Structures are given as C-alpha cells and as structure tokens.
Amino acid sequence: MCCLSHVLPLLSYLLLACYWNEASCSPGEGKKVWLQADSSNLDQYFLHGAFPSGFLWGSGTSAFQNEGSSDKLRKGASIWDHFTKTSVNGSDSYTYWEKDVEALEFLGANSYSFSLSWSRLFPDGDSRAPPNAEAVEHYERLIDRLLERSIEPIVTLHHWDLPQALQEKYGGWRNETMVQLFSDYASFCFHSFGSRVKYWLTMHNPYLVATQGYGTGAHAPGETGSALIVAHHMIKAHASAWHIYNTNFRSAQKGQVSIVLGSHWVEPQRGRTDDANVESCQRSMEAVLGWFAGPVFQDGDYPDSLKATHGRLLPEFTTQEKLFVRKTADFFALSFGPNNFRLGKNIVNYEQSVTPDLRRVLAWIKMEYEDPKVLIAEGGWFTDASVRTEDTVAIYLMKKFINQVLQAITLERVNVFGYTQWSLVDGLEWIYGFSARRGLFFVDFDQANKTRAPKTSAQYYRSVILDNGFPQPEHLREVKSCFPCGFHWGIADSTLKVHFFPFSPQFTDPHVYSWNLTGDGSLRPVPGVQLSTRRAQCTDYLAIRSHLRLFASTGASHYRFALNWSLILPNGDLSSVNREALRYYRCVLTELKKLDLEAVVILYYPTNRAPNMGLPGRLHASGGWLNRSTVEAFTAYAALCYWELGSWVRYWITVNEPNRLLDLYSSEREKHLVAHNLLLAHAKAWRLHEKEHYYQQGTMVSLALHADWAEPANPFLESHKTATQRFLLFELGRFLDPLLGARCEQAQSKGDYPKEVREYMETRAKKLGLPESYLPSFTDTEREELGGALSFIALNHFTTRLVSPVPQTSAKTKPLTNHGCLTLSDPTWFTSNMGQALVPWGLRRILKWVAERYGKATPVIITASGIDDQAVQEDKLRQHYVKSYLQEALKAKHVDGVNLQGFYVWKLQDGLTPQFGFFTSDQQQSKPKQSVAVYRDIIAQGGFQTDIKLQTHIPKERSPL
C-alpha cells in the first residue's frame, strides 16, 4: 500500500497530461472581459431573477478568528496566537458551536464553511502523532449536527493558523518540508471526516499568507522577503493534498477538493481599452489571482507576466512538477473581500482603477480558466465595530455583490454553484483586531455566554435565501393604457431668457440704404431720407419663434417656464417696472396661444447660481425672505403679473421648490422662518388671484415642491421608518398641510404645520435646552388665509433617496439637518453622470403618499422630471427615463386612482454641455436627441397602447458600478 500510494499520484497526473494535450487552454483569454462591450441594459443594471436550483447559500468562519478556547483541551499555539500575543476567545465557537448552527438555521442556509484548527488537532503540528481526541470529537459533532439540519459542511484544512511548532522547527512555509507535513495533515482529515464532507478546501487565500505573512510581515508569522518561495511551497502542498484525495479517497467519498484564491479587480483608467491598458489590467490580475490559479488551473506554471516581473527570483517548477500541479482543483473557490482590495490599491496596481466588481471577476475567471464551476468561498465587507446590529451599509454591499453573482450566472453564463457570506458571527479580524466586524450575527465579546444577535444584514440575507435570489417586483410589470383627455404633456424649463431687442430690424430702422456704390458691397444710408417706423411686434422676435418651434416639434401641449422677478421689478417694487420685459413675456404667451399650446408660468424661481437667490437686489439686501416685507413685495409683484399676463395663463406657480430654497440658509432658525414667509407669500398671492382674477380668468394657482420619494435606508429598523416619514413631512407636509390639511387628522385642520413636525421640533428644543421650538406659529388670520390656498398639487420629482436618522452622540448635539435625517443612495441603483439615481417606482410611491394624505380630489401635476444624459444624440438613459417614469405615472393614475393630470419633462434644451435637454444647445444648432421621438410617440398614443421603441444599453462612458 505504501508503494501504491506513491505510484497512483504519478499515474493520475500522467493521465491528466494526456488529457491536457487534447484540451489545452490559452492563458490570457481573460483580456476579452475588458475588450467586450457590456451587453446588459438599464433594466438589467440590477437583475431580478432566481439562482439555480440547489444553489449553496451559506456563511463561514475560520478557526483562529472564531473558535477561541485557545487555552483549552490541549490546543497548541498557532502562528497567529504567537503573533497577536494574546489568548483570543472571540465568539468562542468551539464552546458555543451549537449557537452557530442555530444561527445558520435562522438564515435558512444550506451550507457552512469552517476551517479545522491544525494546532488543535495536532498541538505540535505532527500529523503522524496521535491526534487530540477531544478536537476530533468536536469536529465530528459539528459535522454531524450540520448534516442533521440539512446543512452541507464545506471544510477548509488551513486558514492561515499554522501551528507555531512548525514555524519554529522548520521556518513554516519557507521550508519545502511543509509540503509533506501538509499532505500528512490533509490525509488524516480526509480519512477522519471525509465520509461526511463533500467539499474540501485545502487553503484559504494563500496569496495573503505569502505576501503579508512572509513578504511584508504585516500578518503572522511576521517575516519578510520570502513571499515567492512560500507561495511556491503552498501551491505544491495543495497539489499534493488534491492528489492524495483523488487517489485514496475520491472513489469512496465522492467529494471535491479545491483551494480558495483571493482576488481584487481593476478597470482601465477612464475606461480606455487600448492594448496597453488592457495588458496592464491583465498583468494586475495575474499578479494576484493568476499567481496561484495559473499553475493550478492552467499549465502547471506561473504566468509569463509574473516571470517577467520577478525574473530569476521566481522559483521554477520542473517538468514533472508542472504535470503534478496543473488541474488540481475540482472547482474554482474564490475569496472576494476587503483584505485583497486593501492590498490591491497599494501593491498590485499598474496605474489602473481598483474596483470591487464581482461580476467582472467571475467573467474573467470563466474566460481565463476554461469555464470552471465556481464557489464564492468568501464574500462580504468590513463594518466598524461601533455599528453593532444596525449594519445598514452592509446590507447594500451584500445586495450589490450577490446581484453581481446573479448577473454573472444569467448574463455571462458563469457556472457559480454557491455563495458564502463572510462571516457568520463576529470574531477577531486578524490585524484589525476587534475594531472591525464582519459577522452576520453580533457577538458581545464581554458577555460570558457570547450571545449571538442577528444584525439587520442577517435579516436581509435570510430574505435573499428564502427567495433564492431577487424576485421580480410588481412595479416592473408594464401596463397598457392611456392617460385621460386633457392630460398635460409638458416640458419644463427654468427662467426664460429675455432678448430685449428684436432680431428683425426692417420695421424699426428709419434709414434708406444704397448698396455697393463704391464696389465694396457695403450698405450706406441715403442722407436726408428717413421713413416712418413702427414698434417692434412679437413676430419680430425670431428667438421666440425658433424656441417655440422646437417645443412644438416634441408634440407636447404644455410649456412650463419662469418669469424673472428681478428683471421685471429691478427695485423690488412698482417704482420701476420693466415694460419691455413684460412685453417680451406677453409675446411668448401669445405665440403659444397661436400654436394652441398652454403655458404654466412660475412667478419666482429661486436659484443659487444667480446673485440674490433670484430676488431683486434691494429685497435681498434688506434680508430677503427673512424679512416679512418681502411677503408684501411678492404679493405686489404677483398682482402685476396677473394683471399684465393673466389673460394668456391658465396655470400659475407662485414659487418653485421653496423646500430647496431653504437649503441655502445655514441657520436652522432661518430655515424655518424662510419657509414660514414663503408660505404666507404664496397664500397672499393665491387669495389675491381668487379675489380679483379667478372669475375673469378661470385659472389655477399652486406652488411647486421638490418631491423626491424616500425609503427607509434600513427596512428592518423602526427608527429608519420613522425618520423616513419625518423626512417626507418636512419636505412636503410642512408646505402642503397648512394649505390642504391632512386626511389622517380627525379635524382635517388646515392652516398649520403637521402635528408630527410640531411635536418633533418641541421635543428637540427640550433636548437642546432651548426655551422654545424654532418652528414659528401662524396667527388666526394667517391660518384662515392659508387654508385651502392651493388649486392643484405641483411636484417636481427626479429620484428616490434612502433615509436614516442622524446618529446622536450626545443629547445636546445639534443635528446637521432640521429634520434629523441623513440621505444616501442604494449602490445597486443606476446613477447618472451627475449622481442622480434612476428609480422609476419612486414616482408612483410619492404620488400614492400624497393622495393618501391629502385625498384624491385635488389634482396633482408632475411639473418637472428628468435626468442628465451626456450623449449628444443617442440619449439612451433619457429615453429609458421618460418611458419608465411615465409608466409609473400611468400606474398611479389607473391602478392607484391618483388624480394625476400632467407630466412635464425637464427640460427643452441644453446649455453649453449635454445634460437634461431634449435638444442640443444653440451652439450645436439645436438638434433633437433620440428621446424626442420616444416622448412624441408616447404622446401620440396618449400613453402606452403599443410597445415604445427605445435603446437602453448602458452608455459606454458609465462604469459598470
């Protein structure tokens, strides 16, 4: 038998050599990943779907990090015990292993990855000596319990914790003797546990052992300068263990053996995929993943790039060793976590961009290593230790990584059969100690019984496992229907630019000219001759006609634009009225009427780009909206506009986005006072119109609120749900409740702020030791004036935000915002170049929220909605935006019964650079983009009666992240 055990490995790799010659792979195929265009579209940026049947959902731990009990039951010291110079108990999984199994059952996991402690099984590292019986029994109990609970054990032989005795006696992995010692240890484990274990992992991330343990000295054993030879010995040790299993155990146990290899990912800088950049990316991957995967999965030798980098310093495999090493893995086990990325940015970065894109790594592995089966043996990220159980960010990182795996399976056809979320419970995070945590379950290390408490990330992972992926939500199902007759198909713009002088001078110049008298082609006025002239007329303003011609070509019926308050009333009052400006606006309105188009006119359009927040200079200098006199000045301005322009305007908006204007003020007291005065100004303007103009003009007056939807950042926490409602009440309810009241309140009282906002502000004032709340109060007269002063609800909606409460470090710490909320974005949402997330379903939810709070009697109009797209013509992102957001608007109208009467796309034309416009700028000859045809098609159908043709591939300039 002794002779046979040596002969059979030789026969097995000779047979492999014959097979290899018939089916050889080509190293470097992975370069195609950077060269191929991304075939996924915007609908697949986050992919909904199920993982394959039988997919292994699991979590993992490692012996040194989690077992603890290092001073119990004859356990020998490991190099990490010696390196950290402490007895680490961590989660004490050796004692409380049953709690770990219960944690796995809570998740619904069907696999568990854990490592054996070499120094617990053999305190001096010698596997030829009798083992520690208590340790053997412990692992047998654990494996048996897992199988009883239908949880597949995935067992790692060596996860960094080499017995200290072997380090001291042989120098650890620097010594080639370790190859045989590891082989003996592996043989013992296969023999002792293999009848119940179907998945074996010989080593975990040997790259980090070599580079950090024996290269830089940052990890145990803390040595330097030996990374290359250590890696060489570890590769041979792995291959030897594989051959031992293949020869002596596979036929009876029918298991599989692999090695866990860690990787980062890189992209060419600025997306440049020329040969040099792609070659650099390939070298970077080969320097980490390829260092070990090349010999094991390809030809038994190191990549050529590694040889070129290290030259003679790189150990060589003999011809026989190459035959012995290659093809010694039954599947590809990948570690994709923070440890490799922290190194990637400092050590292996050929001037490329390091990015955590698991989908791309998996695609590279498929191309580079002939489409192997893949197990994600480690996935996950660090969380700061102070987070405890409310690990919100970890949820979104997990969501992103797991969805990238689904994309790789579905779109790249990578054969992934399992995912291991790292780690199951909190433990010692190597050189970071207890300052960082990675567990799905929080462990209070100070408690004697090491209680495990599920974090919110555990609850999320549990839901993913239960669904076996990401089921398609209801909002992705399209409806075929039409919007009602009279629906506003609109385009929204900001302040309309006024051109004071006509562009057609033939009726305004009194001179008569002679031409070419001197042969130079010049015009010369005839002396003493002058003709009668007339005033400029609307048809002379060529800018108006060309501008409205663009608008009319979209098929839209309503045009929303703003007047320039500071231009019409330079002094802020009626002492100086710019009649020319009024005449220009009147011309725009009359020309719209001639085209049978409607105008929605904004009186005050605040801006932080122009001086004075869009106010006349004198008003701004006297305190602006902090001064009550501005309310009266605005009322006088509104009266002038109603009188001069009202005959041509059916829809007025008093103030655009007053809730965003508040952001320009730093003091919380100022924010509340400004909001108060803006509400009063709107109400006075509304009452003025109702009293003097409504019956003559029959128009409607509103104010337009910035209305992004908000979702709890952590749906498992009541504090986040409460913060989200508070955020919406401060954003919308603060302005709408005083005007419309809230149906949820019994008295449906109008004329005051939401009860929840007032109570919150009073509670905060007490916590901060303030004499009273910053929120002002309305007088009885003001309440009367406010109540009902809104003809329709105007909302500017662009995106959705995740909301969480601001963490309070002290009761008297002032929050950063007056609502005490923070906003963030889901990294799985596609975002534009300017950072706007594409979340169509948020529009429907904000409309439902408004309808539920304020009833369905009051009409609702989306007065602005759009997204930036850098494309000059093929604006695929905007096409997708227009179609998907209008789909959600249609659902809100027909499914939810929202009284939606219009949708305005922001905006008509770009400025100097391509952004939100349907048309390019004047400098680019105002060319229509492809989204114009999409919008026009939807308008022509009155909604969605047939499929709307559009292109939705992700623009090349966007990162896949």
Side-chain angles (χ1 to χ4, degrees):
M1 283 295 296
C2 294
C3 295
L4 186 61
S5 67
H6 288 86
V7 171
L8 283 176
L10 178 61
L11 289 173
S12 65
Y13 71 71
L14 285 174
L15 289 171
L16 280 172
C18 297
Y19 171 79
W20 185 260
N21 289 331
E22 294 179 1
S24 61
C25 72
S26 302
E29 288 293 302
K31 286 187 281 191
K32 292 178 181 177
V33 173
W34 294 286
L35 295 172
Q36 289 179 350
D38 191 348
S39 60
S40 61
N41 60 43
L42 289 166
D43 291 321
Q44 298 168 333
Y45 188 73
F46 181 86
L47 190 64
H48 292 93
F51 282 80
S53 177
F55 193 80
L56 292 179
W57 292 104
S59 190
T61 58
S62 77
F64 174 74
Q65 290 179 281
N66 299 99
E67 276 191 359
S69 300
S70 57
D71 55 347
K72 295 180 182 178
L73 303 176
R74 296 178 52 228
K75 179 187 179 297
S78 73
I79 57 174
W80 275 93
D81 292 314
H82 183 77
F83 187 71
T84 57
K85 295 181 171 59
T86 182
S87 178
V88 178
N89 269 332
S91 58
D92 201 0
S93 289
Y94 186 80
T95 303
Y96 299 108
W97 61 273
E98 291 173 296
K99 293 184 178 181
D100 289 350
V101 177
E102 289 172 3
L104 290 163
E105 289 185 289
F106 173 87
L107 296 174
N110 59 5
S111 69
Y112 178 43
S113 179
F114 65 94
S115 70
L116 306 174
S117 171
W118 190 346
S119 60
R120 190 182 295 281
L121 286 165
F122 298 98
D124 62 358
D126 185 358
S127 305
R128 291 164 295 189
N132 179 349
E134 290 88 347
V136 174
E137 290 173 6
H138 163 73
Y139 292 123
E140 286 178 337
R141 284 194 301 269
L142 173 59
I143 293 170
D144 288 343
R145 180 67 60 85
L146 290 171
L147 294 173
E148 286 172 13
R149 304 301 164 86
S150 300
I151 299 172
E152 192 74 53
I154 301 174
V155 182
T156 302
L157 298 175
H158 176 50
H159 194 130
W160 300 7
D161 52 343
L162 187 72
Q164 177 64 19
L166 299 183
Q167 181 65 33
E168 293 175 355
K169 185 174 182 180
Y170 300 105
W173 287 106
R174 288 187 290 112
N175 195 318
E176 193 169 11
T177 305
M178 286 300 305
V179 175
Q180 185 59 50
L181 291 171
F182 183 76
S183 300
D184 294 339
Y185 166 60
S187 182
F188 168 83
C189 295
F190 296 150
H191 179 268
S192 301
F193 311 115
S195 62
R196 290 156 290 179
V197 176
K198 300 306 177 188
Y199 296 99
W200 288 99
L201 302 170
T202 57
M203 304 171 183
H204 190 95
N205 207 343
Y207 171 81
L208 290 176
V209 176
T211 58
Q212 299 299 283
Y214 294 87
T216 66
H219 286 189
E223 297 190 356
T224 60
S226 306
L228 297 176
I229 192 62
V230 163
H232 198 68
H233 293 156
M234 295 187 84
I235 291 170
K236 292 202 290 185
H238 155 76
S240 179
W242 184 90
H243 280 291
I244 287 170
Y245 187 86
N246 193 55
T247 303
N248 300 325
F249 299 100
R250 188 186 299 278
S251 60
Q253 297 179 359
K254 304 190 185 319
Q256 300 181 62
V257 181
S258 188
I259 179 173
V260 180
L261 302 180
S263 185
H264 63 319
W265 181 250
V266 290
E267 291 287 349
Q269 284 187 349
R270 303 179 191 89
R272 296 173 181 169
T273 54
D274 56 87
D275 291 345
N277 269 317
V278 169
E279 193 61 44
S280 293
C281 289
Q282 180 74 4
R283 287 203 311 273
S284 181
M285 293 300 294
E286 289 175 349
V288 181
L289 190 55
W291 186 356
F292 296 85
V296 171
F297 287 90
Q298 288 177 330
D299 58 359
D301 201 2
Y302 297 116
D304 290 340
S305 62
L306 210 65
K307 295 177 182 179
T309 299
H310 298 292
R312 293 184 177 180
L313 295 176
L314 188 68
E316 294 183 0
F317 291 108
T318 66
T319 301
Q320 189 179 41
E321 286 173 338
K322 290 177 185 177
L323 292 172
F324 187 77
V325 165
R326 67 188 185 187
K327 286 293 186 181
T328 53
D330 302 315
F331 57 92
F332 200 110
L334 176 68
S335 166
F336 193 76
N339 290 307
N340 276 92
F341 279 89
R342 291 185 177 187
L343 291 177
K345 291 187 176 182
N346 299 319
I347 297 176
V348 185
N349 180 5
Y350 293 92
E351 298 183 355
Q352 307 303 304
S353 300
V354 180
T355 177
D357 194 325
L358 182 50
R359 173 185 172 184
R360 302 273 276 175
V361 175
L362 290 170
W364 188 86
I365 289 170
K366 175 182 178 176
M367 292 185 179
E368 189 74 14
Y369 303 115
E370 286 197 314
D371 193 16
K373 294 186 300 180
V374 181
L375 170 70
I376 309 298
E378 177 188 4
W381 218 256
F382 283 132
T383 297
D384 191 84
S386 62
V387 172
R388 300 177 72 86
T389 59
E390 299 183 1
D391 55 342
T392 301
V393 174
I395 289 175
Y396 292 97
L397 291 174
M398 181 193 301
K399 178 183 178 183
K400 181 172 184 174
F401 288 147
I402 295 177
N403 197 257
Q404 287 177 344
V405 176
L406 181 62
Q407 290 173 332
I409 293 171
T410 306
L411 304 177
E412 273 78 37
R413 305 296 179 188
V414 182
N415 188 8
V416 183
F417 67 90
Y419 185 88
T420 307
Q421 179 64 34
W422 203 271
S423 61
L424 179 64
V425 294
D426 288 332
L428 183 80
E429 289 303 327
W430 308 108
I431 60 175
Y432 305 107
F434 296 108
S435 65
R437 293 175 180 251
R438 291 186 70 185
L440 290 167
F441 288 77
F442 172 80
V443 178
D444 188 339
F445 299 125
D446 296 327
Q447 278 190 349
N449 61 357
K450 311 296 183 185
T451 302
R452 277 92 163 122
K455 300 179 184 179
T456 52
S457 59
Q459 297 181 61
Y460 179 75
Y461 191 43
R462 180 187 190 183
S463 69
V464 173
I465 294 174
L466 180 64
D467 293 330
N468 195 36
F470 306 95
Q472 179 166 309
E474 185 273 336
H475 69 258
L476 289 182
R477 300 184 183 95
E478 291 191 356
V479 296
K480 300 293 184 186
S481 188
C482 296
F483 289 95
C485 295
F487 189 79
H488 295 206
W489 296 103
I491 294 177
D493 267 341
S494 57
T495 304
L496 193 66
K497 187 176 180 181
V498 173
H499 300 276
F500 278 112
F501 300 103
F503 283 89
S504 295
Q506 61 265 39
F507 296 114
T508 59
D509 187 346
H511 296 96
V512 174
Y513 295 86
S514 60
W515 175 71
N516 203 28
L517 288 177
T518 57
D520 59 358
S522 62
L523 287 171
R524 298 178 185 273
V526 178
V529 179
Q530 285 196 337
L531 302 177
S532 297
T533 61
R534 63 161 173 78
R535 291 186 60 191
Q537 298 181 13
C538 291
T539 52
D540 296 332
Y541 290 105
L542 300 183
I544 293 177
R545 298 179 69 181
S546 63
H547 188 74
L548 296 185
R549 194 180 299 116
L550 286 185
F551 176 85
S553 70
T554 65
S557 58
H558 289 67
Y559 184 34
R560 194 213 77 171
F561 64 89
L563 307 177
N564 189 332
W565 184 2
S566 59
L567 180 65
I568 294 172
L569 297 178
N571 297 331
D573 56 31
L574 300 179
S575 64
S576 176
V577 179
N578 188 333
R579 296 290 172 181
E580 285 297 308
L582 286 171
R583 189 168 68 84
Y584 187 89
Y585 290 130
R586 193 179 301 115
C587 285
V588 172
L589 294 169
T590 56
E591 291 299 310
L592 277 169
K593 282 294 183 185
K594 289 178 183 177
L595 295 169
D596 198 25
L597 302 171
E598 291 285 352
V600 178
V601 178
I602 301 170
L603 293 172
Y604 173 47
Y605 194 93
T607 176
N608 58 359
R609 295 182 181 177
N612 309 327
M613 301 179 183
L615 287 168
R618 290 187 181 180
L619 290 181
H620 184 265
S622 63
W625 289 108
L626 295 171
N627 192 328
R628 188 62 169 264
S629 64
T630 303
V631 175
E632 306 304 326
F634 179 76
T635 307
Y637 164 61
L640 174 68
C641 294
Y642 293 155
W643 180 260
E644 294 285 344
L645 306 174
S647 298
W648 298 275
V649 179
R650 290 188 58 195
Y651 298 91
W652 290 98
I653 291 174
T654 55
V655 183
N656 186 67
E657 299 192 351
N659 47 350
R660 290 286 67 79
L661 178 59
L662 306 186
D663 298 339
L664 303 181
Y665 293 86
S666 56
S667 161
E668 186 179 349
R669 184 187 292 277
E670 288 182 350
K671 289 177 187 288
H672 288 292
L673 181 57
V674 167
H676 198 74
N677 286 337
L678 285 166
L679 266 170
L680 293 175
H682 161 78
K684 287 183 178 296
W686 195 93
R687 293 297 173 190
L688 172 70
H689 185 274
E690 179 190 45
K691 179 181 179 182
E692 299 184 6
H693 300 279
Y694 177 76
Y695 294 106
Q696 294 90 348
Q697 299 173 356
T699 52
M700 303 176 74
V701 182
S702 183
L703 54 73
L705 296 170
H706 188 101
D708 289 338
W709 177 239
E711 286 282 323
N714 194 322
F716 303 101
L717 298 175
E718 284 301 319
S719 61
H720 285 230
K721 296 176 184 178
T722 302
T724 301
Q725 285 304 307
R726 185 169 68 247
F727 177 85
L728 290 169
L729 289 173
F730 268 86
E731 282 287 288
L732 303 180
R734 168 162 51 180
F735 293 93
L736 293 178
D737 273 37
L739 302 171
L740 298 175
R743 290 202 317 160
C744 55
E745 296 183 14
Q746 291 181 354
Q748 293 191 25
S749 59
K750 302 174 184 176
D752 200 5
Y753 295 112
K755 181 180 67 175
E756 302 94 327
V757 170
R758 192 168 290 285
E759 290 175 350
Y760 174 77
M761 292 301 298
E762 290 170 355
T763 302
R764 276 195 56 242
K766 291 178 182 178
K767 286 183 178 180
L768 295 172
L770 300 173
E772 61 181 0
S773 166
Y774 285 140
L775 192 67
S777 297
F778 296 111
T779 65
D780 290 341
T781 301
E782 289 168 345
R783 289 172 186 266
E784 191 71 24
E785 197 167 48
L786 285 162
L790 201 73
S791 309
F792 63 96
I793 298 172
L795 305 175
N796 298 344
H797 174 84
F798 292 86
T799 189
T800 293
R801 303 180 186 280
L802 301 176
V803 172
S804 68
V806 174
Q808 293 293 312
T809 55
S810 167
K812 292 192 174 183
T813 299
K814 262 193 171 184
L816 300 174
T817 58
N818 57 11
H819 44 58
C821 301
L822 294 175
T823 60
L824 57 152
S825 186
D826 185 335
T828 65
W829 292 341
F830 186 88
T831 55
S832 69
N833 191 266
M834 295 178 68
Q836 179 183 327
L838 182 74
V839 194
W841 50 262
L843 172 62
R844 181 180 177 186
R845 294 191 184 183
I846 194 71
L847 288 170
K848 284 183 67 176
W849 187 89
V850 168
E852 287 169 0
R853 187 168 181 87
Y854 303 108
K856 296 178 180 178
T858 306
V860 182
I861 298 176
I862 299 299
T863 45
S865 186
I867 197 166
D868 62 289
D869 191 324
Q870 311 307 302
V872 175
Q873 185 178 13
E874 297 180 10
D875 53 346
K876 299 169 186 176
L877 177 56
R878 184 177 295 101
Q879 294 175 57
H880 182 82
Y881 183 98
V882 169
K883 181 186 177 228
S884 59
Y885 274 63
L886 275 167
Q887 257 290 318
E888 295 303 309
L890 189 64
K891 293 172 189 174
K893 175 70 179 174
H894 287 289
V895 180
D896 306 325
V898 178
N899 188 6
L900 182 65
Q901 295 192 3
F903 186 94
Y904 290 67
V905 179
W906 172 267
K907 63 181 188 166
L908 183 63
Q909 191 172 13
D910 285 330
L912 295 177
T913 58
Q915 284 187 353
F916 289 87
F918 271 132
F919 294 86
T920 59
S921 65
D922 290 330
Q923 289 85 348
Q924 295 175 319
Q925 301 177 336
S926 302
K927 295 178 181 178
K929 302 176 186 178
Q930 289 182 351
S931 56
V932 173
V934 171
Y935 192 37
R936 189 166 51 229
D937 194 5
I938 295 172
I939 294 171
Q941 294 187 34
F944 297 89
Q945 298 183 63
T946 61
D947 291 331
I948 305 298
K949 294 182 180 180
L950 71 162
Q951 299 178 16
T952 58
H953 289 101
I954 297 174
K956 291 182 180 179
E957 60 265 24
R958 288 291 308 154
S959 161
L961 286 175

